[in-house]
Amino acid sequence: MSRTKTVLGLVILLLTAGLQLLPGAAFDRQHRLYALVLDRFVKQGLVDYTALKASPRDLNAYLDSLAEVPEAEFKSWTLDDQVAFLCNLYNAATLQLVIDNYPLKSLKDIGFLPYAAWRTPTVRFQGKLITLQSLEHEIIRAKYPTYPGIHFALVCAAKACPTLRGEPYLGPRLKAQLDEQAREFLADPAKNRVVAVRRTIFLSKIFQWYEEDFVLNGGSVLGYVNRYLPPSDQEDIKAGGFKIEYLDYDWSLNDSKSAKKK
């Protein structure tokens, strides 16, 4: 009996996810197909690229569904739904780029020219083939400047990036999800840390690269960061006299297999 219920449940789930692929069907803004991918292949922010490369069907279907969303439908959504869609697109397209070139040690190893992975058109969006660089800078950052939290959501498959969230970004929950990502990122001492006795805060280069975004939304990098630090660190920084030093960026792949070898 329990086996019958399990099979029936899986059939219903697959049929529900498949509805978004029917011609004329509205896009599934719950991103259920992507949720299946994340649940199966992502654990604690690390990705089992070997298994994903062997079973890419759901990821392929999800990217197909994203590519089929017309501009008019996309523009009819709330800004939160649009940003959630774009963050999921960036991360899913990056997963696809990795498995298309796997095995590799870093996304930077793809191609012959520097940063070729980000500068090669690989992302299907509204009838065009664009680059990850264009998606991030010309669309997400340029059109949604009041969403600096996207820097804690976009994951370029590097260990120094924010962790790949184990669930899709969803419009109704987006702000809470981005805030949670920011707090988690700033709480990771390998990526950011406060050393009060040295009056120094060591930050990820993300805060240096996108300084203007954080200044726009927080008055300064330190002002923005302090919103998401633990209360004890917030009090230390409010006392003043802190300087910022930026940490080296670990571009090695966020691969669960390489993590297990250590």
Side-chain angles (χ1 to χ4, degrees):
M1 188 69 169
S2 61
R3 182 178 179 183
T4 302
K5 288 183 178 179
T6 300
V7 172
L8 180 60
L10 287 172
V11 170
I12 292 172
L13 178 62
L14 290 172
L15 286 174
T16 301
L19 287 176
Q20 64 182 302
L21 301 179
L22 294 175
F27 177 75
D28 172 26
R29 279 180 275 169
Q30 294 299 310
H31 300 267
R32 292 180 179 89
L33 273 173
Y34 188 40
L36 291 174
V37 173
L38 295 171
D39 181 67
R40 184 176 178 187
F41 300 108
V42 180
K43 304 298 178 187
Q44 297 181 324
L46 297 176
V47 185
D48 187 344
Y49 288 111
T50 300
L52 179 57
K53 186 177 180 71
S55 302
R57 184 179 62 180
D58 288 338
L59 178 61
N60 292 337
Y62 177 63
L63 287 167
D64 287 344
S65 73
L66 296 176
E68 292 170 2
V69 175
E71 183 178 3
E73 180 183 347
F74 179 81
K75 287 185 174 180
S76 72
W77 301 341
T78 66
L79 291 182
D80 284 357
D81 271 321
Q82 292 178 23
V83 173
F85 176 99
L86 294 169
C87 288
N88 291 332
L89 171 60
Y90 183 97
N91 291 341
T94 299
L95 291 175
Q96 182 69 64
L97 182 60
V98 172
I99 63 172
D100 283 347
N101 293 275
Y102 195 78
L104 72 163
K105 294 181 179 179
S106 168
L107 219 61
K108 293 177 74 175
D109 295 339
I110 295 174
F112 298 102
L113 298 175
Y115 302 102
W118 291 272
R119 295 172 176 172
T120 303
T122 56
V123 184
R124 291 175 293 151
F125 179 62
Q126 295 182 357
K128 300 176 182 178
L129 194 62
I130 64 174
T131 67
L132 284 169
Q133 180 173 275
S134 176
L135 175 58
E136 179 178 4
H137 301 294
E138 297 174 20
I139 298 175
I140 302 177
R141 291 183 63 218
K143 296 184 179 181
Y144 306 90
T146 58
Y147 287 80
I150 58 97
H151 294 299
F152 312 117
L154 303 180
V155 181
C156 62
K159 288 182 178 177
C161 287
T163 55
L164 182 60
R165 195 174 180 88
E167 63 179 3
Y169 291 99
L170 304 176
R173 297 179 51 216
L174 180 65
K175 290 183 173 64
Q177 289 177 312
L178 294 182
D179 283 351
E180 187 177 334
Q181 286 287 115
R183 291 190 181 93
E184 178 185 312
F185 184 59
L186 283 159
D188 185 344
K191 299 171 183 177
N192 304 276
R193 56 185 179 272
V194 176
V195 182
V197 294
R198 293 177 55 183
R199 312 305 288 173
T200 303
I201 180 168
F202 294 89
L203 293 178
S204 164
K205 280 191 177 294
I206 287 173
F207 293 103
Q208 184 179 36
W209 294 331
Y210 305 112
E211 178 180 0
E212 63 186 277
D213 296 359
F214 298 110
V215 170
L216 175 65
N217 290 276
S220 67
V221 170
L222 204 53
Y224 184 89
V225 164
N226 208 30
R227 301 173 183 175
Y228 299 101
L229 292 172
S232 58
D233 289 335
Q234 288 184 14
E235 291 303 315
D236 283 336
I237 288 175
K238 285 178 182 177
F242 269 79
K243 65 177 180 177
I244 298 175
E245 290 190 19
Y246 293 103
L247 299 168
D248 291 336
Y249 207 78
D250 183 356
W251 287 101
S252 56
L253 198 66
N254 59 344
D255 190 343
S256 63
K257 296 299 184 184
S258 63
K260 290 177 182 177
K261 292 177 183 179
K262 294 183 178 181

